[in-house]
Amino acid sequence: LEYPLILDEISRYTQFSLSRELILSLSPQFKPLWVTRENQRTNEAMEFLRIAGFCPMSGMKDITNQLEKASKDIILSVEELMDVAVFGRGLALAKNYYQKADVKKEYLSDLFTSIQDNTRVSIEIEKCISPSLEVLDSASGTLKSIRQRYRKALSDRDVVTQRFMHQNASKLSDSISAIRNDRVVVLVKSSEKNSFGGLIHGESASGLSTYVEPPVLLDLNNKVSLLLEEEKEEITRICKELSRLIKPISEVYMNALET
């Protein structure tokens, strides 16, 4: 009756989600050889903890879903790619921990020697994605160029918007611009909403003001939107290329997860 409670208590010491799941799924074993082997492994692991401290696994996650997607040529998201990179780094740290520990290595050796890390893939992912999950300008020359043009387009739009608002201040309800449908608009007195042409994006709650996208902003807004779409497409292409790097090592990492 106490067995599930004991498993739950032990599982709280795990650092890895799969380890917790494994412990909670354990059932009593009565095979002498199996029990002896696992006791020997446990004793050796306790010695590692006593001398070398905890095995570094911080940040590692269950990446089964990511590996299955990569093996099927499905493009991984930025976050999923970083999960794989962190996992690869974690494997390298675990192997280094085992190799450098001044402990007699016998019963755990088959587990650690079976681990195959691939830091090259982690390095390639980290070259393109920051720890905060931003795709870096350096990920590709094309992405860097798009973002440079995007920043220039934003600056140009801001200049034109401020000039338009200054020149037409008497017809405006507010001295600041707004965003409607991802486009910069100005707040115009409803009585003046047809004075400029362009596009109308709705009215204020009071009905006294109208959100207008004047003709001088149409092309600039279109340019910004186009560059955002180009950036999105380039990021997808980069994620596709990085996902392709993971496919050849998917089985190796799956085996490491089981270990």
Side-chain angles (χ1 to χ4, degrees), residues 89-101:
R89 289 289 192 186
L91 291 181
L93 288 171
K95 289 189 71 173
N96 187 61
Y97 162 87
Y98 178 76
Q99 292 165 356
K100 290 190 173 182

Side-chain angles (χ1 to χ4, degrees), residues 65-227:
N65 184 54
Q66 291 89 322
L67 296 176
E68 288 177 347
K69 289 171 70 173
S71 67
K72 297 175 183 176
D73 295 317
I74 297 173
I75 301 173
L76 273 63
S77 68
V78 170
E79 183 175 359
E80 289 172 331
L81 288 165
M82 185 54 73
D83 287 342
V84 175
V86 171
F87 185 82
R89 289 289 192 186
L91 291 181
L93 288 171
K95 289 189 71 173
N96 187 61
Y97 162 87
Y98 178 76
Q99 292 165 356
K100 290 190 173 182
D102 187 18
V103 180
K104 181 182 179 181
K105 303 174 178 70
E106 184 176 357
Y107 302 110
L108 294 175
S109 61
D110 59 325
L111 296 178
F112 278 94
T113 55
S114 68
I115 294 175
Q116 298 181 46
D117 65 282
N118 195 310
T119 52
R120 182 185 67 83
V121 172
S122 294
I123 290 170
E124 290 302 316
I125 294 172
E126 290 162 356
K127 283 181 181 178
C128 299
I129 302 172
S130 73
S132 58
L133 303 180
E134 177 189 3
V135 179
L136 301 169
D137 289 1
S138 56
S140 78
T142 300
L143 183 61
K144 182 177 181 179
S145 173
I146 291 170
R147 286 178 170 170
Q148 287 175 338
R149 287 183 284 131
Y150 174 71
R151 288 189 285 270
K152 176 67 165 54
L154 288 181
S155 177
D156 291 344
R157 187 176 67 178
D158 287 344
V159 169
V160 171
T161 301
Q162 292 302 316
R163 183 166 59 237
F164 176 86
M165 294 177 68
H166 177 73
Q167 293 172 346
N168 297 277
S170 62
K171 298 179 181 180
L172 303 183
S173 301
D174 206 325
S175 59
I176 59 173
S177 59
I179 299 292
R180 285 291 181 276
N181 303 315
D182 298 322
R183 301 173 75 85
V184 169
V185 297
V186 293
L187 201 58
V188 178
K189 296 175 183 176
S190 291
S191 59
E192 301 286 349
K193 66 182 180 181
N194 296 316
S195 299
F196 309 109
L199 299 176
I200 293 177
H201 289 263
E203 294 183 338
S204 64
S206 65
L208 298 176
S209 302
T210 302
Y211 295 101
V212 176
E213 182 180 356
V216 292
L217 291 179
L218 286 173
D219 286 344
L220 291 168
N221 276 327
N222 288 340
K223 186 174 184 179
V224 169
S225 297
L226 179 61
L227 287 168

Side-chain angles (χ1 to χ4, degrees), residues 37-50:
R37 184 194 67 186
E38 293 306 309
N39 281 336
Q40 289 168 335
R41 284 178 171 176
T42 300
N43 288 333
E44 190 169 294
M46 291 298 293
E47 188 67 6
F48 266 87
L49 285 173
R50 187 181 69 81

Side-chain angles (χ1 to χ4, degrees), residues 230-242:
E230 287 182 21
E231 180 190 40
K232 181 179 178 181
E233 291 176 358
E234 179 61 11
I235 288 174
T236 298
R237 187 197 68 77
I238 291 167
C239 289
K240 182 178 181 179
E241 292 301 315
L242 293 174

